[in-house]
Amino acid sequence: MGVAITVNEDDANRRAAAQHALAEHLRLTAAGRVDEWVELFAPDAVLEFPYAPAGVPQRVTGRDALVAHMSNFPETFDVEFVDLVFHDTVDPSLVIAEFRSKGTALPTGKPYEQTCISVVRTDDDARITHYLDYWNPLVAIEALTPSDVPSGSERSVTFGG
């Protein structure tokens, strides 16, 4: 019986550490603290955006590329992340979370309110190894498009590298 409790405690600790990594990702992203943010990731981590629009890569690999990708985020969006909900998973190193961002697209002053789902894998040290980020690019494009641009114009997002 003691072994089952130990395994459950290990799983609980690992799950808590993985969830903490995702929560810290949101906190540091909102604060624009990219140098601290990248430390949450394993050296060869992958950040993936399945719905990335033109101008945003679908896949970013490695810490240097992550920093380059996120370096313009603080000048692009002033956001806070709210309503964070974790969904239980069988694998304690896998985190699935829903949350919203509320804020402003700084180049336009327009509101930026986004609903996201993230699927995040962590390693034994609770570093993020793979971050699958489901967000709506249309919301970002609208927020970053100046009000005087005709709606029929081609639009894209230019943050990220």
Side-chain angles (χ1 to χ4, degrees):
M1 191 80 167
V3 172
I5 291 170
T6 302
V7 169
N8 289 340
E9 284 176 9
D10 288 347
D11 281 359
N13 290 339
R14 186 164 183 150
R15 180 171 284 108
Q19 290 178 351
H20 178 74
L22 189 144
E24 281 295 281
H25 153 74
L26 297 177
R27 184 181 72 81
L28 293 170
T29 298
R33 292 160 56 182
V34 176
D35 291 339
E36 291 171 73
W37 168 83
V38 78
E39 293 298 319
L40 297 171
F41 290 80
D44 58 349
V46 174
L47 184 54
E48 226 176 321
F49 306 103
Y51 301 136
V56 176
Q58 283 198 307
R59 186 179 180 96
V60 180
T61 304
R63 282 187 179 164
D64 289 346
L66 291 172
V67 168
H69 176 75
M70 287 298 285
S71 62
N72 292 327
F73 189 89
E75 294 97 47
T76 308
F77 295 108
D78 178 15
V79 297
E80 65 175 326
F81 296 101
V82 298
D83 301 335
L84 176 60
V85 176
F86 292 111
H87 295 281
D88 287 338
T89 61
V90 174
D91 180 349
S93 63
L94 174 66
V95 178
I96 299 174
E98 290 181 72
F99 53 91
R100 292 183 315 110
S101 70
K102 294 185 346 182
T104 305
L106 295 173
T108 62
K110 292 167 95 174
Y112 179 66
E113 298 196 4
Q114 181 75 257
T115 300
C116 303
I117 295 176
S118 293
V119 179
V120 180
R121 293 192 176 280
T122 57
D123 63 15
D124 291 340
D125 297 318
R127 296 225 188 266
I128 297 168
T129 58
H130 190 259
Y131 194 113
L132 191 54
D133 197 5
Y134 291 97
W135 53 281
N136 184 347
L138 299 177
V139 172
I141 291 167
E142 176 57 34
L144 291 170
T145 301
S147 297
D148 58 358
V149 173
S151 60
S153 301
E154 186 169 320
R155 299 176 175 194
S156 67
V157 175
T158 56
F159 74 91

